[in-house]
Amino acid sequence: MVCKAAMGIKAAAKLRFPSSASAAAAARSRLKPWMVRATTTVLLWTCVVQLTAVGNTWGPRVLKGWPSCRTAREAAAVTTARVAMPEAVVEKAALPPKRIYRNNGYLMVSCNGGLNQMRAAICDMAVIARYLNVTLIVPELDKTSFWNDPSEFQDIFDVEHFITSLRDEVRILRELPPRIKRRVELGKFHSMPPISWSDISYYHKQILPLIRKHKVLHLNRTDARLANNGLPLEIQRLRCRVNYDALKFTPQIEELGRRVIRILRQNGPFLVLHLRYEMDMLAFSGCTQGCTPKEAEELTRMRYAYPWWKEKVINSFVKRKDGLCPLTPEEIALVLRALYIDKNMQIYIAAGEIYGGKRRMASLTSAYPNVVRKETLLEHSDLMFFQNHSSQMAALDYLVSLESDIFVPTYDGNMAKVVEGHRRYMGFKKTILLDRKLIVELVDQYTSGSLLWDEFSSLIKAVHSNRMGAATTRTVIPDRPKEEDYFYANPQECLRYPNLLRTS
């Protein structure tokens, strides 16, 4: 169209100016480029106006065939959103409003222990930061424990969600501001371990003045530093909010956990057995039931090799009789049979490498042939990036444990307690809390022949009929916080059905 217009202008010029005078030729040469540009502009503008006029009718049909910058998955998500909400604008979830407060300083924390010990500590430290009106720096995770895991906070938890989901309670930063960071690098800060099982008044009276004085306080041991009981209701509920809402695992861990659960669900119900029978647990506890003399010697050497494991000389026989040892694979096989757990039930082992390997697992796999673990359900490539990262592997087991039909811990360590509490929070999902002291007594009587199988089974069922993870009030033991019920195992202030609470 533009070309035809240009030709028309040229023909018209020839008709109007037939002479070949030099002045006319010069005028034409100046006029021609200007006329072409002007005419082209007018024609293009006309086209734009016409396309705009019909765009509402034809535009969507035409544009469907145009290339897009979206991926196929993003395009499908947008299409679904438009179908579900034809008049709505799809937006990100609104963030809670920032809490405005006068900042008293900065709190740095170094967590110690395994994943769930650190998880509870993170919850407590976030609550303490909130009630001291200080800025919390994203916690540093333990890299010096037995597991020697180099994982950072953001390798396990969704750090952005952690920060933004709590912005209406406490200001959390990934790292110190540059000016404050330089002070810390020059040693201008205070570092200390807080006193265990302290109530919030300790932090107001003892810790807050130190933060105001030094501007930056580093708490270098954070496990079990906040009391189980005697705290205001809003503090207890904030502990739950941090634990169950703010502390999400990374999308990679969450997706892999969902995949394991889908695989298990395809084959029916499943029981998660937290079989705490790894080498480090046995060395730490000094429990050697069923081990060979060589294995017992190896475990003792390991216990002496770690200076922070304070108990060195341990009588395994006495400790087991007192119910202070994790149940062995042989013992737990008898207990599951006595509880009439279906032999075809899938048994998912939530643990690291079992000490003694196949030899020690033989009794369990014989009684329950569908024993599986993440390494048997997933491809090696799926777990490749989790190797040598015990906390990330534990996070995967944690997710599967939450969703299991039955959860059975063989030792009351931190994972057992925190999962127990989380399952209570989710609606009292069945958790069999084993009475180890009575179990070992009954097992010894049965294996010695002084107790028949039917008697053994009846006693095991009777003992555990009221130990299934139902709602109970926490046991409070004044002046002996280590012996009372752990808050994260039974967060009664946060339970959705408080009317179901019964006295333990």
Side-chain angles (χ1 to χ4, degrees):
M1 187 181 291
V2 174
C3 293
K4 288 182 179 178
M7 291 171 64
I9 293 169
K10 186 174 181 180
K14 287 182 179 180
L15 290 172
R16 290 182 61 191
F17 305 104
S19 69
S20 58
S22 59
R28 282 199 304 273
S29 65
R30 289 193 299 271
L31 180 64
K32 181 180 176 181
W34 181 87
M35 287 294 291
V36 170
R37 286 195 296 271
T39 305
T40 303
T41 301
V42 171
L43 291 172
L44 289 174
W45 178 250
T46 302
C47 292
V48 169
V49 172
Q50 290 174 339
L51 286 172
T52 302
V54 300
N56 291 335
T57 303
W58 297 101
R61 297 180 191 176
V62 174
L63 294 177
K64 281 180 183 175
W66 286 18
S68 170
C69 293
R70 292 194 184 102
T71 63
R73 181 178 297 179
E74 290 169 335
V78 171
T79 301
T80 303
R82 284 176 177 165
V83 171
M85 299 179 293
E87 302 297 329
V89 177
V90 179
E91 296 179 351
K92 290 184 178 180
L95 296 176
K98 286 185 179 181
R99 177 170 170 262
I100 306 301
Y101 60 92
R102 182 177 178 180
N103 183 34
N104 287 318
Y106 297 86
L107 179 62
M108 301 169 60
V109 297
S110 294
C111 301
N112 56 296
L115 173 66
N116 292 285
Q117 185 172 322
M118 293 190 292
R119 183 188 184 106
I122 291 165
C123 297
D124 286 351
M125 293 299 111
V127 170
I128 289 165
R130 189 271 180 236
Y131 282 93
L132 298 187
N133 285 338
V134 299
T135 297
L136 176 68
I137 306 305
V138 168
E140 178 188 23
L141 303 187
D142 191 346
K143 300 177 182 62
T144 61
S145 64
F146 167 83
W147 303 278
N148 197 28
D149 187 341
S151 298
E152 302 288 354
F153 186 99
Q154 62 270 19
D155 297 323
I156 301 172
F157 299 107
D158 186 334
V159 66
E160 192 61 32
H161 177 78
F162 178 67
I163 292 170
T164 57
S165 65
L166 293 172
R167 71 202 299 261
D168 59 332
E169 292 286 358
V170 61
R171 183 183 181 219
I172 304 174
L173 300 177
R174 289 175 180 262
E175 59 181 14
L176 290 165
R179 181 177 61 84
I180 304 298
K181 190 175 183 179
R182 285 194 291 272
R183 286 174 54 90
V184 170
E185 290 170 349
L186 293 172
K188 296 179 179 180
F189 70 100
H190 186 68
S191 183
M192 62 174 287
I195 296 174
S196 299
W197 311 113
S198 299
D199 62 22
I200 199 66
S201 64
Y202 162 79
Y203 288 92
H204 277 294
K205 294 175 182 177
Q206 304 293 327
I207 301 300
L208 184 55
L210 292 172
I211 296 177
R212 284 175 170 158
K213 177 181 177 180
H214 298 281
K215 301 302 179 187
V216 180
L217 179 68
H218 174 230
L219 299 182
N220 53 29
R221 289 184 68 86
T222 56
D223 61 317
R225 303 298 154 161
L226 194 57
N228 291 312
N229 303 295
L231 298 174
L233 181 61
E234 61 269 19
I235 287 182
Q236 301 290 54
R237 288 183 173 170
L238 183 55
R239 291 169 100 175
C240 292
R241 180 180 168 187
V242 180
N243 193 21
Y244 305 128
D245 296 329
L247 277 182
K248 289 176 60 177
F249 294 122
T250 64
Q252 294 83 358
I253 294 174
E254 294 270 351
E255 172 55 33
L256 201 57
R258 285 192 293 269
R259 195 188 311 175
V260 173
I261 293 164
R262 282 197 301 269
I263 294 170
L264 289 166
R265 285 274 174 240
Q266 289 171 0
N267 297 316
F270 66 96
L271 177 152
V272 166
L273 181 63
H274 184 42
L275 187 58
R276 199 68 172 92
Y277 208 75
E278 301 104 330
M279 186 178 186
D280 66 293
M281 183 70 249
L282 300 180
F284 173 76
S285 65
C287 298
T288 58
Q289 174 71 15
C291 295
T292 65
K294 184 178 180 180
E295 288 172 335
E297 183 182 345
E298 181 181 40
L299 295 172
T300 302
R301 284 200 306 270
M302 175 179 281
R303 186 165 65 254
Y304 276 88
Y306 288 89
W308 51 89
W309 291 353
K310 296 179 181 179
E311 193 178 12
K312 301 299 182 183
V313 180
I314 299 174
N315 186 320
S316 175
F317 177 82
V318 173
K319 200 163 188 178
R320 176 176 175 269
K321 286 292 186 182
D322 289 338
L324 301 177
C325 287
L327 294 181
T328 68
E330 296 87 356
E331 290 167 344
I332 194 62
L334 289 173
V335 170
L336 294 180
R337 284 178 54 209
L339 290 170
Y340 286 164
I341 299 297
D342 189 338
K343 68 177 182 179
N344 296 313
M345 171 80 80
Q346 297 174 97
I347 308 291
Y348 176 92
I349 304 296
E353 184 178 352
I354 302 303
Y355 191 63
K358 291 182 178 180
R359 176 179 67 85
R360 299 306 303 271
M361 289 292 289
S363 296
L364 184 61
T365 54
S366 175
Y368 292 92
N370 294 324
V371 172
V372 297
R373 50 193 305 137
K374 51 188 171 291
E375 290 85 356
T376 61
L377 296 175
L378 298 170
E379 299 293 335
H380 174 72
S381 57
D382 294 325
L383 293 170
M384 183 170 58
F385 295 106
F386 294 83
Q387 297 298 327
N388 302 319
H389 294 82
S390 59
S391 291
Q392 295 180 49
M393 295 287 250
L396 184 58
D397 283 341
Y398 185 97
L399 290 172
V400 180
S401 298
L402 287 185
E403 295 300 323
S404 63
D405 297 281
I406 306 172
F407 177 63
V408 183
T410 61
Y411 188 72
D412 57 352
N414 287 290
M415 178 167 171
K417 291 175 180 176
V418 177
V419 170
E420 175 192 343
H422 204 150
R423 286 170 67 86
R424 276 197 168 106
Y425 177 81
M426 293 169 68
F428 315 133
K429 302 182 75 173
K430 190 172 184 179
T431 301
I432 302 178
L433 305 172
L434 300 174
D435 184 336
R436 295 191 305 279
K437 184 175 182 180
L438 186 60
I439 285 173
V440 297
E441 180 182 342
L442 294 176
V443 165
D444 288 348
Q445 291 179 31
Y446 171 70
T447 53
S448 68
S450 61
L451 194 64
L452 298 177
W453 173 256
D454 288 344
E455 296 174 300
F456 173 77
S457 179
S458 295
L459 288 169
I460 290 289
K461 285 188 290 185
V463 167
H464 295 95
S465 60
N466 291 322
R467 298 175 64 91
M468 296 290 176
T472 60
T473 55
R474 279 196 308 275
T475 300
V476 180
I477 306 177
D479 302 323
R480 288 188 291 166
K482 288 184 179 181
E483 298 176 33
E484 64 186 9
D485 286 348
Y486 186 42
F487 172 82
Y488 291 105
N490 187 8
Q492 64 186 46
E493 296 88 343
C494 312
L495 301 184
R496 298 172 186 179
Y497 310 102
N499 56 313
L500 297 178
L501 285 170
R502 61 177 175 79
T503 303
S504 57

